[in-house]
Amino acid sequence: MAQHFSLAACDVVGFDLDHTLCRYNLPESAPLIYNSFAQFLVKEKGYDKELLSVTPEDWDFCCKGLALDLEDGNFLKLADNGTVLRASHGTKMMAPEVLAEAYGKKEWKHFLSDTGMACRSGKYYFYDNYFDLPGALLCARVVDYLTKQNNGQKTFDFWKDIVAAIQHNYKMSAFKENCGIYFPEIKRDPGRYLHSCPESVKKWLRQLKNAGKILLLITSSHSDYCRLLCEYILGNDFTDLFDIVITNALKPGFFSHLPSQRPFRTLENDEEQEALPSLDKPGWYSQGNAVHLYELLKKMTGKPEPKVVYFGDSMHSDIFPARHYSNWETVLILEELRGDEGARSQRPEESEPLEKKGKYEGPKAKPLNTSSKKWGSFFIDSVWGLENTEDSLVYTWSCKRISTYSTIAIPSIEAIAELPLDYKFTRFSSSNSKTAGYYPNPPLVLTSDETLISK
């Protein structure tokens, strides 16, 4: 494979919407998501009211890449070889000796190194995006509450209530019905929660189109919410930018399922209509599958193997399946690199509080895209050495997946919008260093420690 990647060489440029084209104001959106679930648990399921109050310090628990073992209520941070680097029971971190006794140096029982691992399983859940992450804090606090209630019980059965809370707030009809807390609040004040696309990004999208690229929007959000977001961030004429818009794509199934399992559907007034046997022309569709989409792209480009690149923020829903099942190029939007930018320039505004309670001016909350004190770096961590030996640093499982399944990783689309389309990015590959594919800079923690990391 070539060492460099260029957008000019691609025939088709596809985008996820949430946290990719549409950037959220995380200090506002995180508490909104948390509250939308917590209110449901307290009001509908009888959970403790304490769940409703969150302090700025509480947010430090949130770290992308954690696995929640649903049976025992433990959160785990995994090394690239599947061993457990850190763990907590609820929000309480495990001491090194407890961790060693519970997990030792062996591979975690659910670890599957070669498939990218399912995110949704009856036994565990992975937190890999900013929609999910506030739920990690909520689940951890639920485990704390149940442990206290039931004298340190060993097994837990709260997940069905979390799923009910997600369903209540995000079901297909929730936007139209003004149901739950999340959609009504975004509709009421979109400017509080969303960043509109800078002019540089809008100009870049038009530049791609003028260069003859086919532009796709593939989102798991429903069509009514997609329209609200796009009109806010891109303007009312946003449909002119995209040849094909696919909503309710139900990723990663969009990439992994057979066409017969997931046909495309037409839409009428945001309601899904009949299933289509194939995809014959550009337009706005719902559900669908990558196989039928690729057949249409062949027709549109006149090429037997059009080259597709897809931008997304979720390793589970976007990057891994697009690479693994469709062999597309993939650009990971990694806001942890934005957290790094703040650290590089030491700008105080990067650390605005997630929540201000009255006149509370105590510790400021950790933005979700910066390192957690409890969990450490998203990219690397130390393995406890034996007595009289030094700790050694290893890559996290999340970091390994980035270099395995992403072509490149960037902090935001804005970071590349002013580059020429034929700019040659150094791609991640087995022959390059683990930091090669990050643009414009690799994570600080990797540049300072790369020489120490166990290969």
Side-chain angles (χ1 to χ4, degrees), residues 256-268:
S256 62
H257 283 153
L258 298 169
S260 57
Q261 295 173 296
R262 194 65 65 74
F264 279 96
R265 294 178 180 275
T266 54
L267 284 159
E268 210 170 284

Side-chain angles (χ1 to χ4, degrees), residues 387-428:
E387 230 173 302
N388 303 322
T389 64
E390 286 184 29
D391 295 349
S392 61
L393 289 168
V394 295
Y395 292 106
T396 61
W397 181 63
S398 299
C399 185
K400 183 185 180 184
R401 295 173 90 210
I402 291 169
S403 58
T404 305
Y405 299 113
S406 317
T407 303
I408 59 170
I410 58 177
S412 64
I413 289 174
E414 199 180 339
I416 64 166
E418 292 183 23
L419 297 173
L421 295 186
D422 60 359
Y423 182 89
K424 289 183 166 53
F425 297 93
T426 305
R427 63 166 70 238
F428 288 113

Side-chain angles (χ1 to χ4, degrees), residues 243-444:
D243 298 279
I244 301 168
V245 176
I246 301 164
T247 52
N248 194 26
L250 302 167
K251 296 175 291 181
F254 180 84
F255 297 101
S256 62
H257 283 153
L258 298 169
S260 57
Q261 295 173 296
R262 194 65 65 74
F264 279 96
R265 294 178 180 275
T266 54
L267 284 159
E268 210 170 284
N269 298 323
D270 296 318
E271 296 288 334
E272 290 184 349
Q273 305 300 306
E274 78 281 358
L276 300 172
S278 63
L279 201 57
D280 298 324
K281 60 180 189 289
W284 189 314
Y285 301 95
S286 193
Q287 297 198 38
N289 61 86
V291 174
H292 281 169
L293 171 62
Y294 198 63
E295 289 303 315
L296 174 59
L297 296 175
K298 287 180 191 177
K299 276 192 218 165
M300 291 173 72
T301 59
K303 293 185 176 182
E305 292 187 358
K307 188 169 181 179
V308 186
V309 60
Y310 187 62
F311 288 71
D313 70 296
S314 168
M315 182 56 69
H316 167 70
S317 302
D318 302 317
I319 303 302
F320 169 73
R323 169 61 59 85
H324 184 73
Y325 297 105
S326 299
N327 200 29
W328 291 358
E329 300 278 14
T330 52
V331 178
L332 175 65
I333 304 295
L334 189 64
E335 287 213 34
E336 281 64 23
L337 296 174
R338 289 184 72 85
D340 251 20
E341 287 168 5
R344 283 173 203 275
S345 55
Q346 293 297 304
R347 288 176 300 195
E349 68 268 21
E350 292 287 334
S351 303
E352 54 187 308
L354 277 169
E355 180 170 286
K356 284 186 180 172
K357 289 196 162 282
K359 293 185 178 169
Y360 183 76
E361 289 295 339
K364 301 220 161 152
K366 174 193 87 73
L368 295 194
N369 58 9
T370 56
S371 274
S372 153
K373 291 190 182 79
K374 280 190 169 180
W375 293 105
S377 166
F378 173 73
F379 301 97
I380 58 170
D381 212 336
S382 53
V383 174
W384 297 94
L386 300 167
E387 230 173 302
N388 303 322
T389 64
E390 286 184 29
D391 295 349
S392 61
L393 289 168
V394 295
Y395 292 106
T396 61
W397 181 63
S398 299
C399 185
K400 183 185 180 184
R401 295 173 90 210
I402 291 169
S403 58
T404 305
Y405 299 113
S406 317
T407 303
I408 59 170
I410 58 177
S412 64
I413 289 174
E414 199 180 339
I416 64 166
E418 292 183 23
L419 297 173
L421 295 186
D422 60 359
Y423 182 89
K424 289 183 166 53
F425 297 93
T426 305
R427 63 166 70 238
F428 288 113
S429 74
S430 52
S431 58
N432 291 332
S433 80
K434 281 273 201 311
T435 58
Y438 294 103
Y439 180 89
N441 297 298
L444 274 173

Side-chain angles (χ1 to χ4, degrees), residues 139-170:
C139 286
R141 297 183 77 205
V142 165
V143 169
D144 289 347
Y145 165 68
L146 294 174
T147 304
K148 201 160 92 182
Q149 286 288 100
N150 300 316
N151 299 322
Q153 71 176 65
K154 292 287 188 285
T155 56
F156 296 84
D157 187 26
F158 61 87
W159 189 246
K160 62 185 185 305
D161 297 333
I162 300 292
V163 171
I166 294 168
Q167 173 64 12
H168 176 68
N169 277 283
Y170 292 137

Side-chain angles (χ1 to χ4, degrees), residues 167-181:
Q167 173 64 12
H168 176 68
N169 277 283
Y170 292 137
K171 65 184 176 185
M172 201 165 181
S173 59
F175 186 94
K176 190 177 279 186
E177 294 168 6
N178 245 19
C179 164
I181 288 173

